[in-house]
């Protein structure tokens, strides 16, 4: 190396070093294994209804007997998925515009940093378990549509009709509203109310617009973290639409060194903001799970101001740190009540999050 070359080399090396420091490169982490650090286990879900409480109770049974976070979150998610009365997830979830239930789900195992996901999966009640099978039995992360169904069947999952009489009725009610002039129009519904025919029970069924989802996150007694997000997606969606739930970093993210986050609500907002990756990143930077969830709401609202002055995003975020601290923030009325259900060695309880940016009007 000539003198000049050497000087240039040293100058560039110094500049590169200074640049790295100024940029605050991703911190190196201790080589110490995370697994086996013995902590108090905890499981949380974004659902606060009775099914959510039962889901947490059964997930806790697994954690409290030394089971893994991955087994616990799968059990919890399955309880909600098979509930026919939950219209935002799995069996009984509201269908797409064509009356077909298409499910999205993802799972992530912090112990291995591996993930699995399904999009537009039909006819299988427990899409989160199919996502786990993809994670554990293939080299892929996501399968969609027909391929996802074929994979599920090949793994022994049973094909079943996911429309319940009630969810079908709701879809018909929605379809009635598409045109005021034909047989499916509101006029025929009015006729029903006046006793002029129509299907029994439609008087009491509201037309619902759902973008609900369930997140289940857990830390096990070995200190490992896992999560699942599962949904039937936005009701009456265009067939083939995939939302945020099966996208790692959008509907779900897990980092065994930091914690986990899950999103519910309007998936398109979450997909544009990579919200759960953002939340876990904020936690990595020292923010509490509560602060990190609120940061995500601030970030999304600030970014999306350009959409229109009246536009209020509708999402709920839940987060769990590796030390068992929780957070929940909510905006615009999306994703259910501004709370989560949790279970620790002290028992089961509701954690009330913070509601930000209420919907206008
Ligand atoms: N968050 C569920 C969905 O938008 O599909």
């Amino acid at each position: 190396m000539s003198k000049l070359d050497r000087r240039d080399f040293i100058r560039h090396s110094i500049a590169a070093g200074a640049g790295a420091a100024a940029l605050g490169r991703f911190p190196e982490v201790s080589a110490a294994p995370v697994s086996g650090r013995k902590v108090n286990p905890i499981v949380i879900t974004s659902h606060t209804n009775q099914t959510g409480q039962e889901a947490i109770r059964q997930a806790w049974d697994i954690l409290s007997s030394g089971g893994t976070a991955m087994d616990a979150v799968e059990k919890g998610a399955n309880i909600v998925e098979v509930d026919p009365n939950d219209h935002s997830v799995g069996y009984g979830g509201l269908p797409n515009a064509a009356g077909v239930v298409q499910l999205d789900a993802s799972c992530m195992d912090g112990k291995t940093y591996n993930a699995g996901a399904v999009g537009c999966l039909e006819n299988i009640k427990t899409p989160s378990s199919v996502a786990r099978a993809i994670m554990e039995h293939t080299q892929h992360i996501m399968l969609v549509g027909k391929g996802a169904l074929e994979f599920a069947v090949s793994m022994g999952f049973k094909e079943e009709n996911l429309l319940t009489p009630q969810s079908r009725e709701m879809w018909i009610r929605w379809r009635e509203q598409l045109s005021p002039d034909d047989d499916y129009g509101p006029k025929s519904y009015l006729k029903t109310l006046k006793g002029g025919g129509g299907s029994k029970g439609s008087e009491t069924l509201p037309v619902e617009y759902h973008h609900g989802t369930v997140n289940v996150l857990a830390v096990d007694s070995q200190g490992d973290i896992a999560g699942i997000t599962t949904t039937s997606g936005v009701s009456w969606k265009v067939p083939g639409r995939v939302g945020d739930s099966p996208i790692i970093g959008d509907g779900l993210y897990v980092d065994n060194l930091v914690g986990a986050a899950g999103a519910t609500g309007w998936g398109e907002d979450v997909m544009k903001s990579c919200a759960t990756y953002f939340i876990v990143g904020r936690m990595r930077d020292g923010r509490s799970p509560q602060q990190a969830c609120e940061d995500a709401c601030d970030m999304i609202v600030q970014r999306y101001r350009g959409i229109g002055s009246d536009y209020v995003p509708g999402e709920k975020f839940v987060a769990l740190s590796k030390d068992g601290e929780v957070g929940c923030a909510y905006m615009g009325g999306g994703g259910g009540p501004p709370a989560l259900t949790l279970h620790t060695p002290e028992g089961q309880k509701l954690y009330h999050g913070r509601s930000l940016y209420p919907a206008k009007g």
Side-chain angles (χ1 to χ4, degrees), residues 43-48 52 55-56 59 72-74 76-78 80-81 86 88-89 104-106 128 211-218 226-231 244-247 250-254 260-265 270 276 279 293 315-320 327-329 334-337 339-342:
V43 57
I44 73 171
T45 178
S46 53
H47 260 37
T48 55
I56 280 298
V73 295
E74 183 183 13
N78 287 167
V80 184
E81 287 172 329
D86 190 313
S88 60
V89 179
D104 295 342
S106 61
S128 64
H211 42 86
T213 300
V214 66
N215 316 121
V216 190
L217 311 175
I228 279 180
T229 293
T230 178
T231 188
D244 60 314
S245 300
I247 314 281
D250 291 351
L252 174 72
Y253 196 69
V254 176
T264 62
V270 179
T276 57
I279 291 169
C293 289
E315 283 84 55
K316 174 169 125 181
F317 301 114
V318 296
L320 173 63
C328 173
L340 58 82
T341 313
L342 63 87

Side-chain angles (χ1 to χ4, degrees), residues 255-268:
D255 183 335
N256 228 33
L257 294 167
V258 180
T264 62
W266 190 250
E268 278 70 8

